[in-house]
Amino acid sequence: MKIPRIVLAGATSGVGKTSITCSIIYALQKRGFSVQPFKVGPDYIDPSYLSTISKNETYNLDVWLMGKKQVLESFVTHSNSDISIIEGVMGYYDGFEGNSNHASTHHIASITKSPVILILDASKTARSIAATALGFQKFHKNSRIVGIILNKIGSKKHEILCRDALEKTKLPIIGVIPKNPILNLESRHLGLISTYDNKILKNKLEKITKIISESLDVDEILKIIKNPISIPKNKIKTNKKSQVKIAVALDNSFNFYYDDNLNALRRNGASLTFFSPIKNKKIPKCDGLYIGGGFPEILGNDLSKNQQMKKSIKKLSENDFPIYAECGGLMYLTKSITNDKKKYKMVGLIDAETIMTKKMRLNYTKGKLSCKNILSNTLHRFQGHEFHYSQLKSVASDSKFAFDLEIGEGIQNHRDGIIQNNTLASYGHLYFDSSNYAQIFVNNCMNNSRK
């Protein structure tokens, strides 16, 4: 199967990968091509930018979470546009460990057999930029790097110095982007601010992409993707007939979901209905509840004020209703969230309090299920990830945990996934297609509907 594709990689984090990837998407669309975006790594925010510009859902590609086979399957399944574009994560060779490329952007480029454009921040260098580029070319015997984009060029003279130095790489320069403060995107916590329901940010993003696109060599990009290496086709997966309805929390506080997870639920017989814990007074009629991650602390006051919603969720759990919550969802189910010395009362289902901290907890996770739960009937090993700026305090001593972690911090003492009634709430995020999580959750919802 021939899929025209390209990977955008950075020498480091913060070189402008997201805004430049969005600009390439915009430029290709202006030429009449449809574009399918992908994002390397466990990221929920950058994909919202790519989706805003492409008007297509963005899918994550992460070897740690998904495994090599599932990465390729997801990439092929969702590459239904004229061109697929993959935004990298961190620096090109940064992954799970320092002595291998496992779970890095380079690993994804190798699995998908994609050509790579390397983005370099030229703001504090000139001739030395060639040493950086040559290092990335030669660090791995098959770097897959086929071109360079120079970002934050200070002047025409600066550009000439960089171009002259880079001649020895024999790589084409695909774009030269002038330094411009209006091209900077705001950030929050772990990365950028989500574009979900944010018209001001969406408008700014569209303005930035138009400006940057004028500095790109689109003809050279099209030349690079013209003759893609063939990769195997997938077997077509079909959705089971809808048997249950799962309500999914989706608003400005909760919008961190992998589209593959939502599709896995649909494939296993669930129809999804969406609701807002901020705006809606009650949960829509359903057989199960999924509360994903996000920033509940930012709108803690609004969440706290919606007493009817909080009471209804707690009552559902007390009646053994299937509820799965991740990270922000876990925080929402605790007694309270304290942020900047302000304390907001939450659902109160989980006997613990959430405290926002300045310390970032960002890890791939690995461990074993210590007991059966609404996502699993077996005590198997798993891999996931966690990232948050909060921790749980005053966790009840008799709390029951589902996950024992070898890698990662979890809620307490390397344990994660509090089980309360038929509710599972964890800091960790799971990729549903790495096991039969979606099928088991749907089955639990089905059993609930028959009561």
Side-chain angles (χ1 to χ4, degrees):
M1 185 175 186
K2 297 221 169 186
I3 300 171
R5 57 197 182 274
I6 200 161
V7 171
L8 272 294
T12 64
S13 294
V15 297
K17 289 191 299 291
T18 301
S19 55
I20 292 172
T21 303
C22 286
S23 300
I24 291 175
I25 292 171
Y26 173 82
L28 291 171
Q29 288 175 326
K30 289 287 285 182
R31 293 287 188 97
F33 298 98
S34 60
V35 184
Q36 174 58 54
F38 295 87
K39 171 65 183 178
V40 179
D43 190 309
Y44 295 103
I45 298 179
D46 288 6
S48 71
Y49 287 69
L50 306 183
S51 295
T52 295
I53 300 301
S54 69
K55 304 298 186 292
N56 282 325
E57 294 294 340
T58 301
Y59 292 89
N60 294 73
L61 301 173
D62 189 298
V63 182
W64 179 266
L65 295 177
M66 304 164 70
K68 181 178 176 180
K69 181 181 177 183
Q70 196 63 44
V71 162
L72 192 57
E73 184 174 308
S74 181
F75 178 70
V76 173
T77 297
H78 300 304
S79 288
N80 297 316
S81 297
D82 297 326
I83 297 168
S84 291
I85 187 165
I86 304 170
E87 182 196 340
V89 64
M90 299 189 294
Y92 184 37
Y93 295 110
D94 297 327
F96 175 68
E97 52 200 355
N99 59 3
S100 83
N101 296 330
H102 186 71
S104 67
T105 301
H106 178 267
H107 197 178
I108 294 295
S110 299
I111 291 170
T112 59
K113 299 179 181 178
S114 302
V116 177
I117 295 176
L118 181 67
I119 301 169
L120 299 173
D121 182 342
S123 60
K124 295 179 182 179
T125 186
R127 187 166 189 265
S128 296
I129 203 165
T132 301
L134 283 166
F136 275 88
Q137 267 186 299
K138 296 179 179 181
F139 183 74
H140 194 279
K141 62 181 179 181
N142 185 8
S143 73
R144 312 195 73 88
I145 297 170
V146 296
I148 292 172
I149 289 177
L150 297 175
N151 195 16
K152 299 183 181 179
I153 290 290
S155 64
K156 189 64 180 177
K157 181 181 178 181
H158 185 202
E159 176 187 341
I160 292 169
L161 288 171
C162 291
R163 282 185 178 275
D164 288 347
L166 287 165
E167 281 185 4
K168 62 177 61 181
T169 68
K170 298 180 181 179
L171 294 172
I173 295 175
I174 311 298
V176 178
I177 303 163
K179 190 174 184 178
N180 187 340
I182 72 167
L183 302 182
N184 295 332
L185 291 167
E186 299 173 78
S187 64
R188 176 195 292 158
H189 287 357
L190 301 171
L192 303 172
I193 298 172
S194 173
T195 62
Y196 180 84
D197 203 24
N198 190 329
K199 291 182 181 178
I200 294 174
L201 185 54
K202 286 180 180 179
N203 289 337
K204 182 176 181 180
L205 177 63
E206 288 170 359
K207 181 180 179 181
I208 287 172
T209 57
K210 289 177 183 177
I211 294 171
I212 293 176
S213 68
E214 294 170 0
S215 300
L216 300 173
D217 189 338
V218 183
D219 289 332
E220 190 64 40
I221 293 171
L222 290 171
K223 192 187 298 182
I224 288 170
I225 63 178
K226 187 176 180 181
N227 295 305
I229 298 171
S230 183
I231 50 180
K233 275 187 178 181
N234 287 335
K235 292 181 181 178
I236 297 174
K237 292 182 178 179
T238 57
N239 289 1
K240 292 180 181 177
K241 183 179 178 181
S242 180
Q243 298 169 299
V244 296
K245 182 175 285 187
I246 295 175
V248 180
L250 185 66
D251 58 19
N252 284 337
S253 282
F254 306 101
N255 48 70
F256 289 0
Y257 297 96
Y258 290 129
D259 281 293
D260 275 344
N261 280 6
L262 301 180
N263 288 337
L265 293 172
R266 294 184 180 105
R267 198 168 59 246
N268 281 279
S271 61
L272 305 183
T273 182
F274 298 92
F275 74 101
S276 169
I278 295 174
K279 297 177 182 178
N280 300 135
K281 295 300 179 185
K282 61 181 182 179
I283 296 167
K285 188 177 179 181
C286 61
D287 307 298
L289 183 60
Y290 183 8
I291 310 175
F295 297 124
E297 72 276 11
I298 301 299
L299 296 173
N301 189 46
D302 294 330
L303 288 167
S304 180
K305 285 179 178 178
N306 195 344
Q307 299 286 349
Q308 196 171 332
M309 175 60 70
K310 292 190 297 180
K311 287 177 181 177
S312 65
I313 290 175
K314 188 174 182 182
K315 185 177 179 181
L316 283 173
S317 178
E318 290 169 348
N319 291 329
D320 278 339
F321 193 83
I323 300 175
Y324 175 54
E326 290 180 329
C327 200
L330 162 69
M331 295 161 63
Y332 179 55
L333 295 183
T334 62
K335 291 179 179 178
S336 63
I337 296 176
T338 299
N339 185 28
D340 290 334
K341 298 181 180 180
K342 293 180 181 178
K343 190 172 184 176
Y344 306 106
K345 287 188 176 180
M346 293 292 123
V347 173
L349 173 63
I350 304 297
D351 191 1
E353 296 183 339
T354 303
I355 310 294
M356 301 309 298
T357 68
K358 295 185 182 298
K359 181 182 177 182
M360 177 178 68
R361 289 166 174 81
L362 172 60
N363 301 293
Y364 278 127
T365 59
K366 181 179 181 179
K368 185 176 181 180
L369 275 75
S370 53
C371 60
K372 295 178 182 179
N373 55 74
I374 57 170
L375 294 187
S376 180
N377 292 332
T378 60
L379 305 185
H380 64 271
R381 303 186 67 77
F382 71 92
Q383 294 185 181
H385 74 93
E386 61 182 358
F387 61 107
H388 49 95
Y389 273 88
S390 69
Q391 62 184 105
L392 265 53
K393 297 285 189 180
S394 305
V395 179
S397 58
D398 61 350
S399 296
K400 185 179 180 181
F401 293 90
F403 310 132
D404 289 328
L405 301 178
E406 297 169 22
I407 300 174
E409 296 189 29
I411 292 171
Q412 184 183 73
N413 300 325
H414 304 288
R415 294 179 298 170
D416 202 3
I418 289 180
I419 296 176
Q420 183 73 33
N421 308 317
N422 207 19
T423 296
L424 173 63
S426 69
Y427 264 132
H429 300 264
L430 295 172
Y431 183 77
F432 284 2
D433 279 335
S434 66
S435 186
N436 57 353
Y437 301 128
Q439 179 188 333
I440 301 300
F441 187 42
V442 169
N443 289 345
N444 272 290
C445 295
M446 201 179 304
N447 292 336
N448 175 66
S449 69
R450 292 169 180 165
K451 291 180 181 178

